[in-house]
Amino acid sequence: MARRAGPSVRSRRLAHVLRKQRIAAGLTAAELARAIGMSASKVSRFESGESGIYLDDLEKLLDFYRLSKKRRVELMDIARHAEERGWLRIRNANLPADSQAWTDFEDEASGILDYEPFGLPGLLQTPEYARTIIEATGGELLDGEVDALVANRTVRQGLLTRKDPVRLHAIIEESVLARRFGEDGAWERQIRHLIDSTSRPNVTLQVLGSDVGLHPGLNGPFIVLVYDAEPSLVWLENRISSLVLDEDEQIDVFTGIWDELAKLAMTPARSVERLGELLD
């Protein structure tokens, strides 16, 4: 049986939302506790994910925050299943409103390990590349939905430049770099953007050479989110669903794959050289 460490991914999601709601209301934990007749320690425990929250206490909070019916249904459902491990979501293909859970998990991470065999990491994409790949993979997305997705991806890149930036380590397949796209100069601007991004101390990029042959990453892309005070999470995604893994043994599988890929890939310095060679 898989080992369990820390609160489930659902508990962490619920804790994040409730903490965010309180901050948006301009209240401290003590002020909220007084307003709803609850102890400050209790508020602190469920906002940190240290303990679960009873459904009647959650309803009291949702009433206090005056959340919409749709939001209430979502959060109550999360609370009812808070003890379950992992989280599979069937979603409306790639729309920003449905990716909010991912964005919040990403925002609180201290480190991101991103393996991409088919495209470039979202945090390192130029707007031109983001638009092209969203249009290519988004099916019947409307122009406004594509615009929203590109804007959402651009905003997320602020994680790399904020005051306390996230540490990004990305491994990409060399074959991805050979896929030209867009109008004249778009591909070159993307390659230069990758090179420029590696000048940041919090960004590491490795290229996995085409000569490596078969390797453990061929099952598909994955992202490991690393936290300072909480267990890591693994994010797997396809066009219609996303899966967050929170079991220790599952995390160990993907961190093991990551370690192997990092050894097989070009060193960060050689990877930057390779990008320069492509431009030349």
Side-chain angles (χ1 to χ4, degrees), residues 113 219-224 233-236 245 248-261:
L113 308 179
N219 282 327
F222 64 89
I223 297 176
V224 181
L233 297 172
V234 166
W235 182 273
L236 306 174
L245 302 177
D248 282 358
E249 291 182 356
Q250 297 167 341
I251 307 302
D252 289 346
V253 168
F254 283 93
T255 54
I257 293 173
W258 175 269
D259 290 340
E260 290 189 57
L261 294 176

Side-chain angles (χ1 to χ4, degrees), residues 4-230:
R4 296 183 178 184
S8 72
V9 64
R10 287 180 175 83
S11 292
R12 290 166 68 169
R13 173 62 179 156
L14 185 59
H16 175 92
V17 171
L18 295 179
R19 185 168 63 252
K20 196 172 180 179
Q21 286 291 333
R22 174 181 57 76
I23 293 172
L27 299 172
T28 65
E31 290 169 340
L32 173 63
R34 286 195 296 271
I36 61 176
M38 193 179 293
S39 71
S41 61
K42 191 174 186 179
V43 170
S44 178
R45 286 197 301 273
F46 65 65
E47 280 194 358
S48 65
E50 182 181 338
S51 66
I53 182 171
Y54 291 111
L55 294 182
D56 55 349
D57 285 337
L58 178 57
E59 287 183 327
K60 187 183 297 184
L61 278 169
L62 300 181
D63 288 340
F64 179 79
Y65 291 134
R66 298 181 180 179
L67 298 185
S68 67
K69 181 179 179 180
K70 180 180 179 181
R71 191 66 161 150
R72 292 172 67 97
V73 169
E74 176 193 359
L75 296 179
M76 291 295 290
D77 182 67
I78 292 175
R80 289 189 183 96
H81 300 279
E83 295 305 311
E84 298 177 15
R85 307 301 294 197
W87 194 5
L88 173 66
R89 302 187 74 192
I90 305 301
R91 58 196 179 83
N92 188 1
N94 295 321
L95 293 181
D98 196 65
S99 66
Q100 187 60 51
W102 161 249
T103 302
D104 289 340
F105 283 130
E106 188 181 55
D107 185 61
E108 293 194 333
S110 58
I112 298 175
L113 308 179
D114 190 344
Y115 167 63
E116 297 292 343
F118 307 128
L120 296 177
L123 293 180
L124 297 179
Q125 294 177 5
T126 62
E128 291 172 296
Y129 185 93
R131 180 172 297 278
T132 303
I133 197 167
I134 288 169
E135 290 175 341
T137 61
E140 301 300 321
L141 290 176
L142 301 176
D143 289 343
E145 293 170 336
V146 172
D147 291 342
L149 280 165
V150 174
N152 176 263
R153 195 162 296 183
T154 302
V155 169
R156 280 172 51 205
Q157 293 175 356
L159 292 171
L160 300 176
T161 58
R162 67 188 183 186
K163 184 177 180 181
D164 181 24
V166 70
R167 299 185 306 276
L168 172 65
H169 187 168
I171 299 177
I172 58 175
E173 295 279 350
E174 187 173 24
S175 59
V176 170
L177 302 173
R179 294 196 183 103
R180 291 179 175 268
F181 68 95
E183 299 178 356
D184 290 345
W187 179 84
E188 287 80 1
R189 286 189 288 273
Q190 175 63 75
I191 299 299
R192 290 193 186 95
H193 179 68
L194 292 176
I195 295 173
D196 292 343
S197 296
T198 61
S199 66
R200 300 185 180 280
N202 58 307
V203 176
T204 301
L205 176 63
Q206 288 183 265
V207 174
L208 192 59
S210 300
D211 59 347
V212 168
L214 303 181
H215 58 73
L218 293 177
N219 282 327
F222 64 89
I223 297 176
V224 181
L225 296 180
V226 181
Y227 300 86
D228 290 334
E230 295 181 294

